[in-house]
Amino acid sequence: MLTQIINARILTPQGWLKDGSVLIRDNKILEVTNCDLAVIGAKLIDAKGMYIVPGGVEIHVHGGGGRDFMEGTEEAFRTAIKAHMQHGTTSIFPTLSSSTIPMIRAAAETTEKMMAEPDSPVLGLHLEGHYFNMEMAGGQIPENIKDPDPEEYIPLLEETHCIRRWDAAPELPGAMQFGKYITAKGVLASVGHTQAEFEDIQTAYEAGYTHATHFYNAMPGFHKRKEYKYEGTVESIYLIDDMTVEVVADGIHVPPTILRLVYKIKGVERTCLITDALACAASDSQTAFDPRVIIEDGVCKLADRSALAGSVATMDRLIRTMVQKAEIPLADAVRMASETPARIMGVLDRKGTLERGKDADIIALDRDLNVRAVWAMGQLVEGTNKLF
């Protein structure tokens, strides 16, 4: 099956192609060209001058469509993934908040089953916790939080094959040993829910922690203790050039001015956009997996309003927020939603950009940056055929 998207403004690694076309065969990109001439035998899709950009690579998402990945079931996974794909996510790393070992095993089993399916959008499992600083628990379930335990994490990584990322607070006892062990297994180690200062972050980076979980959230910035001032986790991460960060770009978790600051200091290649979405995202649901969570002001919070607890955002909203509120160029916003997370997670060889030979994961955005069509592995995602 040959498909050609014509009359498009296409984002390539070299920049925008005006009036170009993308040729797709089955699940791969055959060619990206500035020639708009119809190819004989191809099914033509007229993009009507819209933006054609790479599909979103979501590396931190807890659920959607009314279901949470902590449920661990295939039904919950498929419902949540489908909901996000309709908003421009084409690759996904389902995320568990701090969970029990049986919950992790159940989710890992479902993840591995889905990863084995042809053309699956599921690329691996992300564990957000449960080795966190209790003082920075935020929306995490406190009963599940503890120090890193090799009797838990070693058997888990030996028995499963889908965990691609694991977050921890580096100041905890055993966190350095944990970071070294998981990175040796090819798992991304990320700093999160932490009170770490510069020495902690520097040591963590040397032990393999190269990423920061929802940057600015659940970590301190510049602060005082008595009469003296100290750098926070935020400044410490800025000072380590090669540490990558992710931001919840819903315009609420991190204000647009700070989104612009992150972009200015860390740059496109070290900043990626995440939803950190809960079950209520992309749905009419008003409930979250955690009964303490409420939805208010377009965001999820703990009912006592002591902390934010995740978002109701989708991939398209991240891009719109970066462009329309943080005033960042569209090309850079899209790259932070696709190319950069693909690079961070080690899948840039097949995801994240529109290039010959890569997976045909593509979004069509109109001038207002609304999703009008999504192709995942060359297949039009159900419910997104708004070009026709």
Side-chain angles (χ1 to χ4, degrees), residues 133-155:
N133 189 320
M134 187 65 83
E135 296 296 316
M136 303 300 286
Q140 300 283 319
I141 298 173
E143 308 90 85
N144 294 338
I145 292 176
K146 61 182 291 191
D147 291 343
D149 182 355
E151 293 188 8
E152 285 183 345
Y153 65 74
I154 291 175

Side-chain angles (χ1 to χ4, degrees), residues 8 42 54 69 84 109 209 231 254 267 279 294 316 334 338 346 359-360 362:
F69 294 122
H84 281 284
E109 184 179 344
Y209 290 85
E231 75 290 336
V254 183
I294 61 170
D316 51 341
V334 169
S338 53
D359 293 342
I362 300 167

Side-chain angles (χ1 to χ4, degrees), residues 114-309:
M114 295 186 71
M115 287 175 72
E117 295 172 355
D119 297 342
S120 176
V122 180
L123 303 185
L125 188 64
H126 165 208
L127 302 182
E128 189 192 2
H130 48 286
Y131 305 139
F132 284 152
N133 189 320
M134 187 65 83
E135 296 296 316
M136 303 300 286
Q140 300 283 319
I141 298 173
E143 308 90 85
N144 294 338
I145 292 176
K146 61 182 291 191
D147 291 343
D149 182 355
E151 293 188 8
E152 285 183 345
Y153 65 74
I154 291 175
L156 199 56
L157 285 179
E158 294 291 339
E159 295 163 21
T160 62
H161 308 285
C162 64
I163 297 169
R164 297 289 183 268
R165 171 179 165 189
W166 205 330
D167 310 352
E171 68 273 24
L172 298 179
M176 293 306 116
Q177 179 188 352
F178 171 72
K180 289 174 182 175
Y181 181 81
I182 68 169
T183 52
K185 291 285 187 181
V187 177
L188 176 72
S190 184
V191 170
H193 292 266
T194 175
Q195 290 185 326
E197 293 176 353
F198 183 72
E199 285 188 11
D200 299 314
I201 293 296
Q202 180 72 55
T203 306
Y205 179 72
E206 291 166 0
Y209 290 85
T210 57
H211 188 65
T213 304
H214 45 49
F215 194 43
Y216 274 94
N217 294 114
M219 60 180 65
F222 180 72
H223 56 280
K224 260 180 75 170
R225 286 197 296 272
K226 297 183 71 175
E227 71 271 38
Y228 295 112
K229 299 174 182 68
Y230 297 84
E231 75 290 336
T233 311
V234 169
E235 293 80 15
S236 303
I237 290 166
Y238 274 136
L239 283 169
I240 298 179
D241 292 340
D242 287 336
M243 276 196 84
T244 55
V245 300
E246 63 188 27
V247 285
V248 186
D250 60 356
I252 301 171
H253 275 76
V254 183
T257 49
I258 301 299
L259 291 173
R260 200 156 66 242
L261 179 66
V262 177
Y263 165 76
K264 186 173 183 178
I265 297 176
K266 278 294 183 181
V268 175
E269 294 188 351
R270 293 188 178 91
T271 306
C272 74
L273 311 184
I274 58 162
T275 62
D276 194 11
L278 300 192
C280 33
S283 78
D284 297 326
S285 171
Q286 292 296 303
T287 58
F289 184 83
D290 185 340
R292 302 171 304 148
V293 172
I294 61 170
I295 304 171
E296 186 178 74
D297 306 325
V299 72
C300 299
K301 308 175 181 180
L302 294 183
D304 65 2
R305 295 172 181 80
S306 61
L308 297 179

Side-chain angles (χ1 to χ4, degrees), residues 26-42:
D26 300 324
N27 58 7
K28 297 288 184 183
I29 296 172
L30 197 60
E31 193 65 80
V32 180
T33 174
N34 58 2
C35 178
D36 231 357
L37 294 175
V39 172
I40 296 170

